[in-house]
Amino acid sequence: MFDFKTMRLFFSLLALAANAAVIGALLLALGARFSDTFSRFSRSLLAALAGWELRLAFLVAAVSTLGSLYYSEIVNLVPCQYCWYQRIAMYPLVVVLGMAAWKRDRTVAVATAPLAIIGGFISGYHYFLQRFPQFGSGQCSATTPCNAAYFKQFGFVSIPYQAFSGFALILLLMAVLRLTSRGKAAS
Amino acid sequence: MTTTKKTGSPSRRTKSAAPVVAIVFGAIAVALVLAIVLSGGSSGSDISVANLTAPVITGDPLPVLPENVTQVEDDPAFGMPAPEVTGVDYSGNPVAITHDGVPKAIMFVAHWCGHCQAEVPAVQDWLDSTGGVAGVDLVAVSTWVSPDRPNYPPWTWLEREGWTPPVIADDDAADVMTAFGGNATPFWVFVDADGNVAFRIGGAIDAASLQSVLETLAA
């Protein structure tokens, strides 16, 4: 039941859900500048998320890490150079966000946001190389092809795409954390 | 002036906790159910590389093509006898690379490799417009086939591109690729009329260079 085909589809659907959350949040933030209705809705959404940002961010980092380990340790897809760089950014987030969620340390965004930004840039560049391999090396190696995707679910969701979606959602949750912390500080 | 730092301040569990948990875990559950339901079908392919006759390779394998070879003479395989291969294409038709007195251009491609996906139609366009170079056989080797990688299966891809030269289906262990010393695709091996390696190149080759090399081999 949980073979490679199923699991890569599962992680791809989660990536698309993460994309929907990030794009929805950006649109909401934009709409809140011009519309009272959007503004009220975004405030109520922030209130609903208050206290859950760290736990959700930890969940995203944990699922991303488990997904990455599934690909390499269960399915035996050998990580390429850029995959490793993304792992370097994502794996510490599990520990840091987990500890922060446990200790309720709302200042952790100072450390985690840069990691998410760096990881997001690397995964974005990796995905770019997969879409436009002519910008990387002129060949595809057998086992660790950074410029060739192991799979493209729905024709476009590859492993770095999933990683980028995870980093983007963590960054969004860190932004929410900052906003709700400011709200608490103001009140 | 005093400042308040909120380090380590506990966050209250709000009344909205239940909806947040329900939405997040509900989304994960829906994604999992969708993945299980949608991935239930088979690949639909009735050809399997494992069912094809494995290529038979004779002769000593060539050394791996080193990186950054700029001179033909710097390639340790230069002048060495090329391995001979007898295999089949994806329809089961026999295809061979032998020392039959005809120079050969052997092109190794992987279906999932973006560079190969660009190289195949470029070479086919050149063949369509020029008819190739008389007196030189062009043979493709489809290697590193993986059902888990994009653009699978290779036979559908090559058919879609209108690929006309013969294709040898490499085995799962990529023995043909290894025998010719390839470690990345696309990979070209040019063999002279005596069956010796004239030139190897890793990466794509443009139409003008290909024409030039093949004319040199045919001369």
Side-chain angles (χ1 to χ4, degrees):
Chain A
M1 182 185 286
F2 298 107
D3 58 359
F4 179 40
K5 195 177 173 187
T6 303
M7 293 308 290
R8 74 188 192 197
L9 178 57
F10 170 60
F11 289 123
S12 298
L13 289 171
L14 288 184
L16 293 182
N19 295 163
V22 172
I23 292 168
L26 292 175
L27 291 176
L28 199 58
L30 190 67
R33 289 179 170 272
F34 304 103
S35 161
D36 286 341
T37 309
F38 275 102
S39 183
R40 276 195 300 275
F41 183 65
S42 60
R43 277 199 298 273
S44 63
L45 203 58
L46 282 175
L49 284 170
W52 285 91
E53 313 90 332
L54 287 171
R55 276 169 273 195
L56 289 175
F58 165 71
L59 184 67
V60 175
V63 170
S64 302
T65 297
L66 288 174
S68 133
L69 290 172
Y70 170 80
Y71 289 135
S72 64
E73 304 307 311
I74 307 292
V75 192
N76 297 318
L77 302 182
V78 180
C80 78
Q81 183 183 9
Y82 291 116
C83 293
W84 276 111
Y85 295 158
Q86 288 156 72
R87 288 173 161 213
I88 289 167
M90 183 63 82
Y91 288 10
L93 286 173
V94 183
V95 179
V96 175
L97 287 167
M99 290 301 292
W102 183 35
K103 294 291 183 185
R104 303 191 179 177
D105 177 5
R106 300 179 66 82
T107 63
V108 77
V110 174
T112 52
L115 271 175
I117 290 170
I118 291 167
F121 268 115
I122 295 167
S123 53
Y125 179 65
H126 189 180
Y127 186 66
F128 172 80
L129 283 183
Q130 290 184 344
R131 298 292 292 185
F132 306 101
Q134 65 269 29
F135 287 98
S137 70
Q139 284 185 287
C140 302
S141 60
T143 52
T144 53
C146 271
N147 54 4
Y150 278 113
F151 62 85
K152 284 181 184 170
Q153 197 72 44
F154 313 122
F156 67 97
V157 180
S158 61
I159 294 174
Y161 184 99
Q162 293 173 347
F164 180 84
S165 304
F167 284 123
L169 187 53
I170 289 170
L171 198 58
L172 170 70
L173 288 165
M174 292 303 98
V176 171
L177 181 69
R178 294 281 289 179
L179 286 172
T180 52
S181 296
R182 272 187 207 162
K184 282 189 175 189
S187 62
Chain B
M1 188 178 73
T2 59
T3 56
T4 305
K5 201 168 183 178
K6 300 289 282 184
T7 308
S9 64
S11 59
R12 285 182 299 118
R13 183 179 288 269
T14 65
K15 284 188 294 183
S16 56
V20 172
V21 174
I23 289 169
V24 170
F25 285 96
I28 291 173
V30 166
L32 189 57
V33 169
L34 274 176
I36 292 169
V37 170
L38 294 177
S39 65
S42 67
S43 65
S45 170
D46 55 357
I47 304 175
S48 168
V49 177
N51 294 334
L52 294 170
T53 305
V56 176
I57 304 160
T58 54
D60 293 332
L62 301 177
V64 172
L65 176 67
E67 288 185 19
N68 305 319
V69 170
T70 53
Q71 300 293 321
V72 173
E73 295 80 7
D74 293 340
D75 182 351
F78 175 65
M80 286 179 64
E84 295 182 281
V85 182
T86 304
V88 294
D89 64 16
Y90 288 117
S91 299
N93 302 313
V95 181
I97 300 169
T98 56
H99 300 169
D100 55 3
V102 180
K104 305 275 187 293
I106 309 161
M107 177 191 185
F108 292 81
V109 293
H111 61 89
W112 45 263
C113 173
H115 299 295
C116 301
Q117 291 166 12
E119 181 82 327
V120 162
V123 171
Q124 187 59 52
D125 285 347
W126 170 76
L127 284 170
D128 290 342
S129 59
T130 66
V133 174
V136 180
D137 291 342
L138 177 56
V139 182
V141 177
S142 171
T143 190
W144 290 338
V145 175
S146 171
D148 293 328
R149 288 190 177 180
N151 200 31
Y152 179 85
W155 46 89
T156 304
W157 164 52
L158 293 169
E159 187 179 344
R160 187 173 64 242
E161 298 294 352
W163 185 250
T164 53
V167 178
I168 291 182
D170 204 352
D171 56 22
D172 286 343
D175 284 331
V176 181
M177 180 70 162
T178 306
F180 281 85
N183 58 4
T185 56
F187 173 58
W188 286 88
V189 180
F190 299 94
V191 180
D192 64 21
D194 297 325
N196 298 322
V197 174
F199 185 42
R200 295 192 300 177
I201 182 171
I205 185 166
D206 62 85
S209 301
L210 181 60
Q211 173 113 18
S212 171
V213 171
L214 296 191
E215 285 173 349
T216 305
L217 278 177

